[in-house]
Amino acid sequence: MGPGETRSFDCEGMQGQYVTVTIPGTGKYLTLCEVQVFGLPVNSSDLMLNETLGPRIPNGDHFETDIWITLNNSRAAPNVALGKTASQSSTREIEDNPMRATDGSLLNHFPSQQCSQTRREFQPWWTVDLSKTFIVSSVVITNQGDCYKERINGAEIRIGNSSELGGTLNPRCATVESMELGQTLSFDCHGMQGRYVTVTIPRRAEYLTLCEVQVFGLPLIFPGETLRAPKTTTGVPNVAPHGIASQSSRYMYSYNAQNAIDGSLSANALMGQCTHTHKEWSPWWRLDLKSEHKIFSVALTNRGDCCKDRINGAEIRIGNSNEQGGIKNPRCGTVFRMDYEETLSFDCEEMQGRYVTVTIPGRAEYLSLCEVQVFGLPVSPLSYLSIEADWLMPLPKTSPERNPVKQNGLLEKAFIFPEETDNSYVVLSPAQPLSLEAFTLCMKAASELPPNREIILFSYRTKYYDELNVWQEFNGTFSLYLSGPGVHFTLPKLNTFGSHMCVTWESKSGLTAFWVNGKRSLRKVLRPGHRIQPQGIVMLGQDPDTFWGSFEKAQSFVGEISDLYMWDHVLSPSIIQNVYLDHSFPKGNIFDWKSLSYECTGNVIVPSKL
């Protein structure tokens, strides 16, 4: 330890009456300037705070006593704004609800539906009433993502107990210098105290649009001096959406590792809004930031549907080691307890590393995370530019070696994937954007992989969502997913001789069917009214859990794929029969095997089918 340093050691719930510090096996001086012990009595009836911890909370609120002991001193704080009453100086339209900024959604592309908005007026304000005084560690703001990013410039965050003029007269925590479209920034408020948290744009006429405001704080337990943040406090961005997420295992297809950085605090795991591993020893979820970062804080959102206690004991680890998912890197914090749908922020005190890992050590457990926000800055300024460029470049700089075989037409040929890999795939270039309210997708596939293994047959992903995926599941059924829930069909298994398979879907009714060797399955309903979005990547051979990567070897396709066609409408049964028999049929207006543009990466062979 350095001179004057205070360090916290996680004892992981050890029990005892005595706490001892000793230097074993050598003759030394032992000097201790302060020892703090954060714990709870084993017998809850003994939970009586004495003069050491401060007076008992009014009304004997054991829950808040627990929070104060376990969270305040482990550098963790919950989002106390979620669902609280918000108000603003004005509204442009009736639907411009100030509560949209505390609804737990970081979505920001449609302000009229996803954000709070005021009219253009002098010194507009938005405020949330936390219902009682809180010690505020940080405030996180999400800017609108469609246009007018500069409107938020100069906005001030104010915290205090006065509601006069929307709280605009309270002390200032920070000033927003500038924000990018859709960006989420965290502002350190250094323990300021107050019931009201206000965002206002002073000294000019402007619109105020806020897509989400998260307030991380703890209830005030006993009187203390209000701490005021310096006026130079600046925002730290949430860098998690630019990273690549992975996990130790995946319980089902919809539980992607990427779900934890999709920008939504929605927390129903059963609806596919969260990650989920198998029950295994020391499960982990990892975020690769692609370069070393200085991490100020990490916020975790727990699932809200069930099983809230599974997250207990989870650790956040930060460092540059990728070994075992990064679980051996230094620890930022430990989750003592989280409530349903709760978001907790952990102060990581500028720890540095490329990888941010959440793991449950030392026991067999499921790990489910509904959102992970990582507030940090690149150690090298140049690395930030490369991260931003990843969303603009057609391929990331770290992509595997590629085979430049981009061609037109594959008549009498096939794609052969000879082995399991996490780096071999084919990217297809559609003839028109995949903005679809209906489709027919056909292909021939042959594989000798066992039926008790996931197999990706077709993947189309946009920046945040798996828009259209076709799978063979663990149990041997086949499924279609459209950016969320899917439908499953019992079909003949893939085999060494190959099968011709088509999938049809149309939005108006949601009717979906599989066709195998010209024969239609029963029809099921999937996402009526849905529309498949454009600007994504179509891939064969791998399932990307991020926009351009995070592949899993155990899900890769091994075998042959050929004769792939796709139309932006549902074909008639007679035409599907002609496609199967290779008789005359209309040209695929999205993909046509006879004039297909593609690009291979890794170990993919393109020989003649003959």
Side-chain angles (χ1 to χ4, degrees), residues 397-469:
K397 295 175 175 58
T398 57
S399 63
E401 183 179 354
R402 295 149 55 204
N403 301 324
V405 293
K406 192 169 185 179
Q407 301 174 359
N408 287 328
L410 287 160
L411 189 62
E412 300 300 325
K413 294 183 179 180
F415 293 130
I416 295 182
F417 302 85
E419 61 182 351
E420 284 189 344
T421 75
D422 59 4
N423 61 5
S424 299
Y425 53 87
V426 178
V427 175
L428 306 182
S429 299
Q432 65 181 49
L434 273 73
S435 180
L436 304 175
E437 293 183 348
F439 71 84
T440 301
L441 170 67
C442 296
M443 68 174 75
K444 291 182 180 178
S447 178
E448 293 182 339
L449 286 170
N452 59 342
R453 177 193 185 276
E454 287 182 308
I455 305 173
I456 183 66
L457 296 173
F458 182 91
S459 171
Y460 171 55
R461 182 181 178 84
T462 54
K463 182 175 178 181
Y464 292 117
Y465 297 102
D466 290 321
E467 290 287 339
L468 194 170
N469 280 16

XYZ file of all heavy atoms in Angstrom, residues 397-469:
589
model
N -11.000 -3.372 -37.865
C -9.570 -3.501 -38.126
C -9.021 -4.830 -37.634
O -8.005 -5.311 -38.099
C -8.825 -2.345 -37.449
C -9.195 -0.992 -38.033
C -8.520 0.124 -37.255
C -8.748 1.479 -37.863
N -10.137 1.858 -37.992
N -9.712 -5.430 -36.646
C -9.218 -6.673 -36.071
C -9.866 -7.899 -36.707
O -9.804 -8.974 -36.152
C -9.502 -6.679 -34.563
O -10.915 -6.499 -34.361
C -8.757 -5.573 -33.852
N -10.510 -7.738 -37.858
C -11.170 -8.880 -38.475
C -10.146 -9.921 -38.903
O -9.008 -9.604 -39.229
C -11.972 -8.421 -39.694
O -11.123 -7.890 -40.672
N -10.526 -11.216 -38.925
C -9.586 -12.252 -39.328
C -9.216 -12.124 -40.796
O -9.839 -11.404 -41.557
C -10.365 -13.548 -39.063
C -11.784 -13.150 -39.012
C -11.827 -11.734 -38.519
N -8.190 -12.869 -41.169
C -7.732 -12.822 -42.558
C -8.856 -13.253 -43.484
O -9.554 -14.227 -43.262
C -6.542 -13.762 -42.716
C -5.942 -13.744 -44.115
C -4.755 -14.670 -44.224
O -4.342 -15.214 -43.197
O -4.264 -14.841 -45.343
N -9.049 -12.504 -44.556
C -10.163 -12.744 -45.450
C -9.681 -13.208 -46.805
O -8.619 -12.829 -47.260
C -11.002 -11.467 -45.599
C -11.674 -11.031 -44.319
C -11.838 -9.524 -44.255
N -12.537 -9.023 -45.420
C -12.415 -7.781 -45.847
N -11.620 -6.942 -45.223
N -13.083 -7.363 -46.909
N -10.507 -14.021 -47.465
C -10.210 -14.473 -48.817
C -10.917 -13.558 -49.806
O -12.146 -13.538 -49.850
C -10.723 -15.910 -49.017
C -10.078 -16.861 -48.030
O -8.919 -16.704 -47.693
N -10.841 -17.827 -47.562
N -10.199 -12.773 -50.566
C -10.847 -11.812 -51.463
C -11.424 -12.494 -52.694
O -10.913 -12.354 -53.799
C -9.695 -10.876 -51.825
C -8.479 -11.732 -51.749
C -8.733 -12.733 -50.671
N -12.507 -13.268 -52.511
C -13.096 -14.009 -53.625
C -14.473 -13.456 -53.959
O -15.382 -14.203 -54.292
C -13.198 -15.519 -53.293
C -11.834 -16.127 -53.194
C -13.981 -15.745 -52.010
N -14.640 -12.148 -53.825
C -15.925 -11.548 -54.135
C -16.200 -11.725 -55.619
O -15.453 -11.256 -56.461
C -15.918 -10.075 -53.755
C -17.295 -9.449 -53.764
C -17.247 -8.089 -53.117
C -18.649 -7.506 -53.020
N -18.640 -6.193 -52.377
N -17.300 -12.427 -55.918
C -17.603 -12.779 -57.297
C -19.086 -12.626 -57.547
O -19.860 -12.359 -56.633
C -17.182 -14.234 -57.576
C -15.710 -14.502 -57.342
C -15.409 -15.976 -57.486
O -16.301 -16.776 -57.733
N -14.154 -16.338 -57.337
N -19.501 -12.837 -58.764
C -20.911 -12.871 -59.118
C -21.243 -14.253 -59.667
O -20.631 -14.714 -60.613
C -21.240 -11.809 -60.168
C -21.228 -10.422 -59.573
O -21.550 -10.252 -58.416
N -20.860 -9.439 -60.375
N -22.213 -14.903 -59.049
C -22.700 -16.154 -59.595
C -22.047 -17.372 -59.008
O -20.833 -17.443 -58.861
N -22.883 -18.365 -58.616
C -22.372 -19.603 -58.035
C -23.059 -20.817 -58.653
O -23.196 -21.846 -57.993
C -22.609 -19.581 -56.515
C -21.683 -18.636 -55.737
C -22.279 -18.313 -54.384
C -20.319 -19.272 -55.548
N -23.494 -20.686 -59.889
C -24.171 -21.794 -60.546
C -23.272 -23.029 -60.550
O -22.107 -22.963 -60.917
C -24.538 -21.400 -61.985
C -25.448 -22.371 -62.740
C -26.794 -22.487 -62.033
C -25.619 -21.900 -64.177
N -23.821 -24.164 -60.103
C -23.105 -25.436 -60.018
C -21.962 -25.410 -58.999
O -21.026 -26.202 -59.087
C -22.559 -25.862 -61.383
C -23.625 -26.042 -62.440
C -24.647 -27.100 -62.042
O -24.256 -28.086 -61.393
O -25.838 -26.918 -62.350
N -22.044 -24.481 -58.018
C -21.026 -24.428 -56.961
C -21.699 -24.493 -55.594
O -22.928 -24.507 -55.487
C -20.196 -23.148 -57.086
C -19.349 -23.091 -58.347
C -18.491 -21.835 -58.369
C -17.633 -21.797 -59.629
N -16.787 -20.580 -59.688
N -20.869 -24.541 -54.541
C -21.381 -24.596 -53.172
C -20.371 -23.965 -52.233
O -19.178 -23.883 -52.542
C -21.664 -26.037 -52.754
N -20.866 -23.497 -51.068
C -19.978 -23.086 -49.985
C -19.742 -24.297 -49.094
O -20.706 -24.896 -48.589
C -20.608 -21.977 -49.141
C -20.781 -20.668 -49.862
C -22.002 -20.012 -49.830
C -19.731 -20.081 -50.540
C -22.185 -18.803 -50.479
C -19.887 -18.869 -51.189
C -21.122 -18.232 -51.167
N -18.489 -24.644 -48.868
C -18.148 -25.757 -47.979
C -17.436 -25.193 -46.751
O -16.422 -24.503 -46.860
C -17.255 -26.802 -48.670
C -18.018 -27.458 -49.816
C -16.787 -27.852 -47.667
C -17.233 -28.533 -50.532
N -18.003 -25.496 -45.574
C -17.394 -25.146 -44.289
C -16.866 -26.449 -43.695
O -17.630 -27.231 -43.109
C -18.429 -24.508 -43.368
C -19.069 -23.260 -43.935
C -20.167 -23.349 -44.789
C -18.574 -22.010 -43.624
C -20.765 -22.209 -45.307
C -19.165 -20.850 -44.142
C -20.258 -20.959 -44.991
N -15.568 -26.732 -43.828
C -15.062 -28.074 -43.507
C -14.882 -28.367 -42.027
O -14.739 -29.534 -41.660
C -13.709 -28.112 -44.237
C -13.291 -26.687 -44.340
C -14.549 -25.887 -44.470
N -14.862 -27.350 -41.167
C -14.566 -27.604 -39.757
C -15.203 -26.549 -38.871
O -15.572 -25.462 -39.325
C -13.046 -27.594 -39.527
C -12.402 -26.264 -39.883
C -10.896 -26.271 -39.713
O -10.377 -27.254 -39.160
O -10.251 -25.285 -40.102
N -15.337 -26.895 -37.591
C -15.803 -25.922 -36.605
C -14.757 -24.826 -36.445
O -13.577 -25.115 -36.227
C -16.025 -26.582 -35.244
C -17.283 -27.408 -35.121
C -17.518 -27.823 -33.681
O -16.567 -27.736 -32.875
O -18.645 -28.244 -33.342
N -15.170 -23.566 -36.546
C -14.265 -22.441 -36.298
C -15.060 -21.304 -35.689
O -16.295 -21.328 -35.654
C -13.613 -21.919 -37.601
O -14.587 -21.178 -38.346
C -13.058 -23.035 -38.456
N -14.350 -20.302 -35.218
C -15.004 -19.059 -34.807
C -14.519 -17.894 -35.671
O -14.587 -16.737 -35.256
C -14.760 -18.764 -33.320
C -13.290 -18.644 -32.972
O -12.445 -18.720 -33.899
O -12.973 -18.479 -31.782
N -14.031 -18.221 -36.881
C -13.523 -17.140 -37.742
C -13.759 -17.388 -39.233
O -13.174 -16.705 -40.068
C -12.031 -16.918 -37.485
C -11.190 -18.149 -37.783
O -11.688 -19.154 -38.273
N -9.917 -18.069 -37.460
N -14.590 -18.371 -39.583
C -14.839 -18.661 -41.001
C -16.301 -18.373 -41.317
O -17.200 -18.897 -40.653
C -14.521 -20.126 -41.321
O -13.156 -20.405 -41.069
N -16.534 -17.546 -42.348
C -17.902 -17.190 -42.692
C -17.944 -16.611 -44.103
O -16.913 -16.315 -44.712
C -18.479 -16.182 -41.700
C -17.653 -14.939 -41.489
C -17.805 -13.831 -42.324
C -16.729 -14.861 -40.443
C -17.045 -12.682 -42.128
C -15.965 -13.730 -40.243
C -16.135 -12.634 -41.088
O -15.381 -11.504 -40.891
N -19.152 -16.447 -44.613
C -19.393 -15.828 -45.913
C -20.364 -14.678 -45.717
O -21.419 -14.854 -45.089
C -19.986 -16.826 -46.925
C -20.270 -16.129 -48.258
C -19.044 -18.009 -47.130
N -20.006 -13.499 -46.211
C -20.894 -12.336 -46.178
C -21.535 -12.181 -47.545
O -20.849 -12.187 -48.574
C -20.124 -11.056 -45.799
C -21.028 -9.831 -45.896
C -19.553 -11.181 -44.393
N -22.868 -12.072 -47.570
C -23.622 -11.931 -48.807
C -24.058 -10.480 -48.996
O -24.478 -9.835 -48.029
C -24.862 -12.830 -48.793
C -24.647 -14.314 -48.496
C -25.974 -15.058 -48.562
C -23.643 -14.925 -49.464
N -23.970 -9.989 -50.218
C -24.390 -8.620 -50.534
C -25.760 -8.661 -51.199
O -25.898 -9.187 -52.305
C -23.381 -7.950 -51.469
O -22.105 -7.876 -50.866
N -26.807 -8.122 -50.543
C -28.148 -8.183 -51.121
C -28.288 -7.239 -52.311
O -27.616 -6.214 -52.403
C -29.049 -7.746 -49.964
C -28.168 -6.895 -49.103
C -26.791 -7.481 -49.214
N -29.190 -7.580 -53.212
C -29.437 -6.743 -54.388
C -30.267 -5.521 -54.041
O -30.307 -4.558 -54.810
C -30.150 -7.565 -55.461
N -30.936 -5.530 -52.871
C -31.701 -4.387 -52.402
C -31.716 -4.423 -50.888
O -31.487 -5.466 -50.276
C -33.133 -4.418 -52.952
C -33.966 -5.589 -52.447
C -35.363 -5.594 -53.037
O -35.536 -5.471 -54.236
N -36.372 -5.719 -52.189
N -31.948 -3.269 -50.217
C -31.947 -3.246 -48.747
C -32.988 -4.200 -48.170
O -34.078 -4.364 -48.740
C -32.281 -1.792 -48.426
C -31.895 -1.023 -49.641
C -32.165 -1.934 -50.801
N -32.651 -4.815 -47.054
C -33.566 -5.750 -46.417
C -34.544 -5.001 -45.510
O -34.540 -5.154 -44.277
C -32.806 -6.824 -45.638
C -32.393 -8.047 -46.468
C -31.252 -7.684 -47.409
C -31.963 -9.193 -45.560
N -35.345 -4.147 -46.098
C -36.450 -3.487 -45.403
C -37.707 -4.243 -45.789
O -38.329 -3.963 -46.819
C -36.532 -2.015 -45.807
O -37.599 -1.373 -45.137
N -38.088 -5.242 -44.977
C -39.015 -6.276 -45.432
C -40.250 -6.392 -44.549
O -40.149 -6.375 -43.317
C -38.305 -7.638 -45.453
C -37.017 -7.739 -46.279
C -36.396 -9.115 -46.092
C -37.300 -7.463 -47.739
N -41.401 -6.538 -45.195
C -42.634 -6.897 -44.509
C -43.068 -8.312 -44.886
O -44.126 -8.775 -44.454
C -43.731 -5.894 -44.834
C -43.446 -4.511 -44.251
C -44.571 -3.533 -44.514
O -45.454 -3.849 -45.331
O -44.561 -2.447 -43.889
N -42.260 -8.983 -45.707
C -42.499 -10.382 -46.084
C -41.239 -10.902 -46.756
O -40.421 -10.117 -47.255
C -43.690 -10.505 -47.027
N -41.058 -12.215 -46.762
C -39.926 -12.788 -47.487
C -40.139 -14.275 -47.706
O -40.927 -14.937 -47.009
C -38.610 -12.558 -46.743
C -38.447 -13.363 -45.475
C -37.973 -14.676 -45.507
C -38.763 -12.812 -44.241
C -37.831 -15.421 -44.351
C -38.621 -13.550 -43.079
C -38.154 -14.859 -43.141
N -39.402 -14.793 -48.701
C -39.210 -16.227 -48.890
C -37.710 -16.454 -49.001
O -37.047 -15.821 -49.823
C -39.900 -16.738 -50.160
O -41.298 -16.454 -50.089
C -39.699 -18.242 -50.316
N -37.178 -17.333 -48.176
C -35.750 -17.659 -48.169
C -35.608 -19.153 -48.446
O -36.223 -19.966 -47.740
C -35.119 -17.304 -46.825
C -33.690 -17.799 -46.580
C -32.702 -17.103 -47.517
C -33.282 -17.567 -45.119
N -34.812 -19.506 -49.447
C -34.610 -20.914 -49.793
C -33.110 -21.222 -49.890
O -32.322 -20.358 -50.302
C -35.263 -21.260 -51.125
S -37.064 -21.116 -51.139
N -32.739 -22.448 -49.548
C -31.350 -22.899 -49.683
C -31.301 -24.416 -49.604
O -32.262 -25.057 -49.136
C -30.471 -22.305 -48.578
C -30.783 -22.842 -47.193
S -29.626 -22.274 -45.926
C -30.180 -20.597 -45.740
N -30.191 -24.978 -50.060
C -29.904 -26.393 -49.850
C -28.784 -26.492 -48.817
O -27.793 -25.766 -48.899
C -29.488 -27.068 -51.153
C -30.624 -27.193 -52.167
C -30.164 -27.910 -53.437
C -31.318 -28.028 -54.423
N -30.887 -28.687 -55.700
N -28.945 -27.388 -47.854
C -27.951 -27.529 -46.788
C -27.723 -29.005 -46.495
O -28.676 -29.799 -46.445
C -28.405 -26.815 -45.523
N -26.469 -29.349 -46.302
C -26.088 -30.714 -45.916
C -25.104 -30.623 -44.764
O -24.178 -29.802 -44.796
C -25.463 -31.459 -47.093
N -25.314 -31.448 -43.744
C -24.415 -31.428 -42.581
C -24.509 -32.747 -41.845
O -25.578 -33.366 -41.791
C -24.784 -30.289 -41.631
O -23.956 -30.305 -40.488
N -23.378 -33.175 -41.268
C -23.344 -34.375 -40.438
C -23.173 -34.034 -38.968
O -22.863 -34.901 -38.151
C -22.217 -35.300 -40.895
C -22.440 -35.903 -42.284
C -21.338 -36.865 -42.693
O -20.238 -36.775 -42.111
O -21.580 -37.708 -43.583
N -23.374 -32.753 -38.623
C -23.294 -32.369 -37.211
C -24.391 -33.069 -36.421
O -25.496 -33.308 -36.938
C -23.442 -30.852 -37.072
C -22.230 -30.022 -37.512
C -22.589 -28.543 -37.552
C -21.041 -30.247 -36.573
N -24.135 -33.380 -35.156
C -25.154 -34.076 -34.354
C -26.357 -33.169 -34.104
O -26.227 -31.945 -34.081
C -24.415 -34.392 -33.045
C -23.319 -33.389 -32.968
C -22.899 -33.142 -34.395
N -27.547 -33.759 -33.909
C -28.747 -32.945 -33.703
C -28.750 -32.196 -32.378
O -29.460 -31.214 -32.238
C -29.886 -33.974 -33.759
C -29.243 -35.281 -33.427
C -27.844 -35.202 -33.959
N -27.967 -32.655 -31.383
C -27.948 -31.975 -30.087
C -26.902 -30.870 -30.056
O -26.161 -30.707 -29.089
C -27.686 -32.982 -28.963
C -26.374 -33.724 -29.126
O -25.819 -33.739 -30.228
N -25.890 -34.322 -28.050
N -26.853 -30.085 -31.108
C -25.906 -28.971 -31.207
C -26.591 -27.834 -31.963
O -27.285 -28.061 -32.955
C -24.654 -29.397 -31.973
C -23.627 -28.280 -32.192
C -22.613 -28.754 -33.214
N -21.509 -27.828 -33.432
C -21.558 -26.784 -34.255
N -22.695 -26.500 -34.899
N -20.499 -26.010 -34.437
N -26.424 -26.603 -31.487
C -26.943 -25.456 -32.225
C -26.212 -25.316 -33.560
O -24.995 -25.478 -33.619
C -26.746 -24.165 -31.427
C -27.669 -24.010 -30.239
C -27.441 -22.677 -29.542
O -26.275 -22.383 -29.217
O -28.408 -21.951 -29.332
N -26.945 -25.012 -34.624
C -26.343 -24.801 -35.944
C -26.991 -23.563 -36.559
O -28.209 -23.530 -36.752
C -26.555 -26.010 -36.876
C -26.048 -27.309 -36.228
C -25.859 -25.774 -38.214
C -26.387 -28.555 -37.032
N -26.211 -22.561 -36.864
C -26.732 -21.377 -37.531
C -26.787 -21.643 -39.036
O -25.791 -22.040 -39.648
C -25.879 -20.132 -37.212
C -26.484 -18.875 -37.848
C -24.418 -20.323 -37.622
C -27.816 -18.474 -37.279
N -27.949 -21.428 -39.639
C -28.120 -21.653 -41.067
C -28.113 -20.343 -41.860
O -27.650 -20.306 -42.991
C -29.435 -22.399 -41.325
C -29.502 -23.811 -40.743
C -30.888 -24.399 -40.901
C -28.460 -24.714 -41.394
N -28.662 -19.279 -41.260
C -28.716 -17.991 -41.946
C -28.787 -16.912 -40.871
O -29.564 -17.027 -39.919
C -29.956 -17.929 -42.848
C -30.091 -16.658 -43.647
C -29.544 -16.559 -44.923
C -30.775 -15.566 -43.128
C -29.678 -15.384 -45.657
C -30.908 -14.395 -43.858
C -30.355 -14.305 -45.126
N -27.965 -15.861 -41.025
C -27.921 -14.793 -40.026
C -27.968 -13.440 -40.715
O -27.185 -13.173 -41.632
C -26.648 -14.904 -39.184
O -26.494 -13.764 -38.348
N -28.887 -12.596 -40.267
C -28.938 -11.198 -40.718
C -29.030 -10.320 -39.480
O -29.998 -10.391 -38.730
C -30.127 -10.942 -41.643
C -30.331 -9.463 -41.947
C -29.297 -8.696 -42.475
C -31.550 -8.841 -41.703
C -29.473 -7.346 -42.732
C -31.740 -7.492 -41.972
C -30.697 -6.747 -42.480
O -30.854 -5.412 -42.729
N -27.984 -9.502 -39.245
C -27.898 -8.681 -38.041
C -27.676 -7.222 -38.392
O -26.855 -6.896 -39.241
C -26.754 -9.158 -37.141
C -26.665 -8.341 -35.849
C -25.542 -8.771 -34.943
N -25.513 -7.915 -33.773
C -26.246 -8.079 -32.682
N -27.042 -9.121 -32.587
N -26.183 -7.233 -31.664
N -28.429 -6.339 -37.710
C -28.158 -4.909 -37.764
C -27.291 -4.555 -36.569
O -26.830 -5.435 -35.840
C -29.459 -4.101 -37.772
O -30.271 -4.492 -36.658
C -30.225 -4.335 -39.071
N -27.060 -3.268 -36.325
C -26.108 -2.851 -35.294
C -26.451 -3.414 -33.921
O -25.576 -3.865 -33.185
C -26.050 -1.323 -35.232
C -25.060 -0.766 -34.225
C -24.967 0.746 -34.312
C -24.004 1.304 -33.272
N -23.908 2.781 -33.321
N -27.731 -3.425 -33.568
C -28.111 -3.829 -32.219
C -28.930 -5.118 -32.155
O -29.130 -5.665 -31.074
C -28.917 -2.717 -31.533
C -28.107 -1.478 -31.235
C -28.427 -0.260 -31.822
C -27.018 -1.522 -30.378
C -27.695 0.883 -31.551
C -26.281 -0.393 -30.104
C -26.620 0.812 -30.687
O -25.877 1.934 -30.416
N -29.455 -5.600 -33.287
C -30.406 -6.708 -33.223
C -30.091 -7.803 -34.236
O -29.589 -7.532 -35.324
C -31.836 -6.195 -33.477
C -32.319 -5.220 -32.447
C -32.330 -3.850 -32.717
C -32.762 -5.647 -31.198
C -32.766 -2.934 -31.767
C -33.194 -4.742 -30.244
C -33.206 -3.390 -30.537
O -33.624 -2.494 -29.598
N -30.435 -9.047 -33.865
C -30.488 -10.153 -34.813
C -31.828 -10.044 -35.538
O -32.865 -10.482 -35.021
C -30.387 -11.495 -34.082
C -29.002 -11.723 -33.500
O -28.027 -11.357 -34.161
O -28.914 -12.265 -32.386
N -31.813 -9.465 -36.728
C -33.069 -9.175 -37.421
C -33.745 -10.430 -37.950
O -34.966 -10.558 -37.891
C -32.813 -8.207 -38.590
C -32.445 -6.802 -38.177
C -33.619 -6.013 -37.633
O -34.772 -6.389 -37.935
O -33.389 -5.032 -36.912
N -32.962 -11.373 -38.498
C -33.549 -12.558 -39.131
C -32.537 -13.695 -39.022
O -31.499 -13.662 -39.685
C -33.884 -12.268 -40.602
C -34.785 -13.241 -41.370
C -35.174 -12.617 -42.717
C -34.115 -14.586 -41.632
N -32.823 -14.681 -38.205
C -31.921 -15.820 -38.040
C -32.682 -17.127 -38.187
O -33.812 -17.257 -37.686
C -31.248 -15.793 -36.658
C -30.081 -14.832 -36.621
O -29.939 -13.977 -37.482
N -29.253 -14.949 -35.603
